[in-house]
Amino acid sequence: MEMAQELHVLAVDDSHVDRKVIERLLKISCCKVTAVESGTRALQYLGLDGGKSSMGIDGLKVNLILTDYSMPGMTGYELLKKIKESSVLSKIPVVIMSSEKILPRIDRCLEEGAEEFLLKPVKLSDVKRLRDFILRGEGDDNKETEKNIKQVCSRKRKFQDDSMTQSMLSAVVTAHDIELSSQESSASSESQQPLSKQSKIG
Amino acid sequence: MERNNNLHRQVASLRQSLFDQGYVDEQFIELEELQDDATPNFVEEVVTLFYNDSARLIHNIDQSLEEHPLDFAKLDNFMHQFKGSSSSIGAKKVKIECTKFMEYCRAGNVEGCKGTFQQLKREYAVLRKKLEVYFQYARPAGPTDTASYRPK
C-alpha cells in the first residue's frame, strides 16, 4: 500500500493569528494541514467524540497533532491526555506549543506522552525538524519516501525563496543601487533564475 | 525605473525604521520569510488578523477595567491572549506593555494596570499607523509598480 506523499498535521490553536501562521509554516514544509480552534473540535475531527469522524470519511490519516497549551475550555494538556487514552489514536505523536516556558508544565506534558514542547512563536526550523522526525518515525520502508519528500519540498521552497530573495533584495535597495544591481546580476546567472526575473535588474 | 528605485528606497527606509525604533522584532522577519510570490500579502494578512483580535481584546479589557472590584484573573487572561498575538507578529513595544500589565495584574495593582493599559493603547495605535503606511508602500502590484518589477 502506497504511503501518502505528504504528512497530514492537525493544528489546534484558539488564536486566529497563530492558526494562520502555523498553517503557513506547515504548508511551506510540505505538510497537509487541518487547523481547528479548540480541543473539542480536534476530538470531533479525530472521531473521538462518538460522532462521525471526518478523518474516516476522506481517509486522511493524521500523522501529527500540534496543539497550543493554553486554550479556553479544553487545554492542550487535556487534549493530549484524551488522545493518549484512546486505543485508536494514542500512536499519533502530539506536540505541545506554549508561549510560556514553565518547567513543571513541560514535564507534565512530556510525562503524559507529548513528543515535544515548542516555545512560541514557533519558527520554520522547528516545524521542519518536527516534520523530519515524524517522517523518520513512519517506518523503515519509507526511507525513500522521506528522502523524496525532503528533496521535493526543498526544490519547491528554493524556487519560492529565490522569488522572495529577489523581492527582498529590491525592497532593501538603498543609495548603493548600482553596486547591488551588479551583485544581483551575477547571483542570477549562477542560480538559473527564470527569465522573467532578469528584467528587474538595472 | 527611477520611480521604482525611489519607491524601493522608501519601502526599505520605512521597513528599517520599524526595527530601529523598536516597533517590531525578529519575529516580523520570520513572517516576511514565509511570504513569497504565491502569497505576496501574507504578512499584511496576519497583521490584519492581529488588528481584529486586538480590537476585541482592547474592548474587553476596557470594559473589565471599569468593574469594581477588578477581576485580575480575567484581565490576566485577556492580556495573555494579547501578548500572544503581539508576540506572533513581532510587535515588540506592545508586547513589553502586555508583560508590564500582567505583572501589575499579578500584584493586584489597580493603578498600575490602568496606567499601563493607557500606555499599551498608545503604543498599539502608533504601531498600527506605522504598519499601515509601510504596507501601503510595500504592497505588491501597487499603482507605481510596473510589470517588470513583479514576475508573473
Side-chain angles (χ1 to χ4, degrees), chain B:
Chain B
M1 206 33 78
E2 182 56 38
R3 224 162 144 220
N4 264 352
N5 284 341
N6 281 336
L7 179 65
H8 298 176
R9 263 189 282 266
Q10 283 174 312
V11 171
S13 167
L14 281 171
R15 183 181 172 276
Q16 196 53 46
S17 73
L18 289 174
F19 289 96
D20 291 345
Q21 291 167 25
Y23 289 105
V24 300
D25 61 28
E26 333 63 69
Q27 178 60 17
F28 193 80
I29 299 177
E30 290 281 331
L31 291 187
E32 285 178 323
E33 288 179 356
L34 301 181
Q35 187 166 284
D36 55 28
D37 279 3
T39 57
N41 297 308
F42 176 71
V43 183
E44 193 177 0
E45 286 165 9
V46 177
V47 170
T48 303
L49 288 178
F50 168 69
Y51 296 154
N52 294 344
D53 271 1
S54 302
R56 178 181 51 87
L57 288 165
I58 287 173
H59 173 76
N60 289 342
I61 295 170
D62 263 330
Q63 286 210 310
S64 302
L65 285 173
E66 296 298 310
E67 292 168 6
H68 301 287
L70 290 190
D71 184 344
F72 288 110
K74 185 166 66 163
L75 286 166
D76 189 78
N77 182 32
F78 284 140
M79 197 48 79
H80 174 85
Q81 292 176 53
F82 205 154
K83 185 179 172 186
S85 49
S86 305
S87 171
S88 296
I89 69 151
K92 193 172 176 182
K93 288 190 185 194
V94 172
K95 190 168 83 157
I96 288 169
E97 297 305 320
C98 291
T99 303
K100 272 195 213 150
F101 185 96
M102 287 168 84
E103 281 164 9
Y104 281 125
C105 250
R106 285 159 195 190
N109 186 331
V110 175
E111 286 321 303
C113 283
K114 291 185 173 177
T116 304
F117 192 57
Q118 294 314 308
Q119 181 59 15
L120 190 157
K121 284 195 283 188
R122 276 192 289 270
E123 291 294 352
Y124 172 76
V126 173
L127 171 69
R128 202 173 156 153
K129 268 210 183 66
K130 292 206 172 269
L131 287 177
E132 277 167 5
V133 170
Y134 171 66
F135 285 124
Q136 246 182 344
Y137 278 87
R139 214 169 275 153
T144 51
D145 278 340
T146 59
S148 62
Y149 174 63
R150 283 283 152 185
K152 295 274 185 266

Side-chain angles (χ1 to χ4, degrees), chain A residues 18 20 24 157 164 171 200, chain B residues 12 33-35 45 88:
Chain A
D18 290 351
K20 184 162 174 89
R24 182 83 189 122
R157 187 57 190 161
M164 231 269 307
K200 254 201 303 169
Chain B
E33 288 179 356
L34 301 181
Q35 187 166 284
E45 286 165 9
S88 296

Side-chain angles (χ1 to χ4, degrees), chain A residues 123-136:
Chain A
K123 294 181 164 34
L124 187 57
S125 51
D126 294 324
V127 173
K128 284 191 167 158
R129 195 167 39 82
L130 261 189
R131 177 203 62 193
D132 295 345
F133 170 77
I134 303 297
L135 280 174
R136 253 174 271 132

Side-chain angles (χ1 to χ4, degrees), chain A residues 181-192:
Chain A
S181 308
S182 56
Q183 282 174 15
E184 274 182 284
S185 314
S186 49
S188 299
S189 50
E190 274 159 27
S191 56
Q192 292 148 31

